Amino acid sequence: AEEELHHVSLGNASVASPFTSRKTSIRCCKDILQQGRCTLVTMIQIYKILGVNCLVNALVLTKLHQKGVKQGDRQMTAVGMVVAGLFLFVTRGKPLTKISPRKPPSSVLCKETLLSMTVQFAIHFVAIMTVTYMSDVYVDPYDPSAMVPDGPFNPNTLNTATFLVTVLATINTFVVNYRGRPFMENLTENKLLFRSIQACYATLFICALDIFPPLNQLLQLTPLPSTGPPSFNMSEYGHGGDADSIIPMMLQAIDVIGFRLMLCIIMCLDTALVTLSEKAIRSVMDG
């Protein structure tokens, strides 16, 4: 046997080296299955996060851009740093010590993944467009610098509200698409990711409620109105059309509870709906 080992070519040895072990037990096979499943699930959730975020960014760059919605340099820098950190923390998820009899999704293009991404984007789309329509009322139509698509960035209610809800949608993609058990540790066990997401949620709601004004100034956010809709722009709604039948009802609700609280309610509903929909899809697909 020793003579045969001396005649093994270097090419064959390099190919077989990842699948060899010096231990006499078959524990290495279990390790490969555990780490392989964890890697597969992590890859799928990263693709889902990227897919939903790309759709949200496409919405911002097309539909919202035509309304003059823009993002400031400091806003884009802060979001980029947060997203990069969250992606790093997602990859730090560790496999479980026990192999589950349930099989993970076999492909990124499976029915569960495509359906999940579609439902998530649909919910984010409704939330973002709702905030856009209710914020548009607070933009002065006689201000030429407020609504120019290719003009400079000017903080206003529309830019601030849409920025908060789009960033919330981005954070929600990390929360909802994190797979967790039975293939890898849960979100609460991934301490770095869990604490970072908590900090992101706290920051968003602090900015929405204008609790710490210096933070809003740092992120180029204007203070959101605390009163009902202004008198101008109100005559444009309520005369029929696709969205005009819903907008007056929404404006009446804003007049009662205030713009800031209405924005926080929409943000909470977006988070709750995407979470519940993802759980429902997983339970149905897993049988």
Side-chain angles (χ1 to χ4, degrees):
E2 293 181 357
E3 294 179 357
E4 294 178 357
L5 291 176
H6 290 296
H7 294 289
V8 176
S9 62
L10 296 178
N12 293 337
S14 62
V15 172
S17 59
F19 305 98
T20 57
S21 176
R22 294 185 178 182
K23 298 180 181 179
T24 57
S25 66
I26 60 172
R27 182 178 178 180
C28 58
C29 299
K30 179 184 177 183
D31 294 339
I32 290 176
L33 291 175
Q34 289 174 333
Q35 297 177 12
R37 283 188 167 192
C38 181
T39 303
L40 175 61
V41 171
T42 301
M43 181 198 68
I44 292 177
Q45 68 188 19
I46 286 177
Y47 274 109
K48 290 175 64 178
I49 293 170
L50 288 173
V52 178
N53 285 344
C54 287
L55 293 173
V56 172
N57 290 332
L59 175 63
V60 174
L61 295 175
T62 55
K63 181 68 174 179
L64 301 188
H65 181 72
Q66 296 302 318
K67 288 184 170 292
V69 177
K70 308 177 189 68
Q71 293 183 357
D73 294 337
R74 279 179 279 177
Q75 293 177 355
M76 298 181 68
T77 302
V79 172
M81 294 176 62
V82 169
V83 171
L86 293 179
F87 270 119
L88 174 63
F89 299 150
V90 164
T91 59
R92 296 179 65 88
K94 298 178 182 179
L96 301 178
T97 57
K98 183 179 179 181
I99 298 179
S100 172
R102 184 187 306 173
K103 294 182 179 180
S106 59
S107 172
V108 179
L109 301 177
C110 64
K111 294 181 180 179
E112 177 184 348
T113 302
L114 297 178
L115 179 61
S116 173
M117 293 174 59
T118 303
V119 174
Q120 288 182 51
F121 176 68
I123 295 173
H124 294 322
F125 177 84
V126 173
I128 293 172
M129 296 310 300
T130 301
V131 172
T132 302
Y133 282 122
M134 78 179 196
S135 304
D136 196 19
V137 182
Y138 290 85
V139 178
D140 189 354
Y142 301 103
D143 184 4
S145 64
M147 301 297 291
V148 180
D150 295 327
F153 172 77
N154 292 307
N156 54 34
T157 301
L158 180 59
N159 286 331
T160 298
T162 52
F163 170 77
L164 292 175
V165 74
T166 51
V167 173
L168 177 80
T170 301
I171 303 302
N172 284 340
T173 57
F174 287 91
V175 177
V176 172
N177 295 306
Y178 191 88
R179 188 73 182 193
R181 294 180 182 271
F183 307 113
M184 57 190 299
E185 60 183 8
N186 279 332
L187 177 61
T188 54
E189 297 173 317
N190 191 338
K191 298 299 182 180
L192 288 175
L193 180 61
F194 184 61
R195 299 300 183 190
S196 300
I197 289 174
Q198 285 182 322
C200 291
Y201 279 138
T203 303
L204 288 175
F205 282 96
I206 288 173
C207 292
L209 296 174
D210 199 19
I211 296 175
F212 188 60
L215 179 60
N216 289 43
Q217 297 174 4
L218 179 64
L219 295 176
Q220 298 176 293
L221 302 176
T222 187
L224 295 175
S226 56
T227 59
S231 58
F232 60 82
N233 268 348
M234 290 296 296
S235 60
E236 299 181 4
Y237 301 99
H239 302 291
D242 295 335
D244 290 349
S245 59
I246 302 176
I247 293 178
M249 298 171 53
M250 183 174 58
L251 296 180
Q252 291 178 1
I254 296 174
D255 197 20
V256 174
I257 65 176
F259 183 89
R260 298 177 184 176
L261 185 56
M262 187 67 177
L263 177 62
C264 291
I265 291 175
I266 294 175
M267 293 167 66
C268 293
L269 287 175
D270 180 84
T271 304
L273 289 176
V274 292
T275 303
L276 293 175
S277 64
E278 181 67 16
K279 289 183 178 180
I281 292 173
R282 289 182 185 178
S283 61
V284 171
M285 292 300 179
D286 293 340

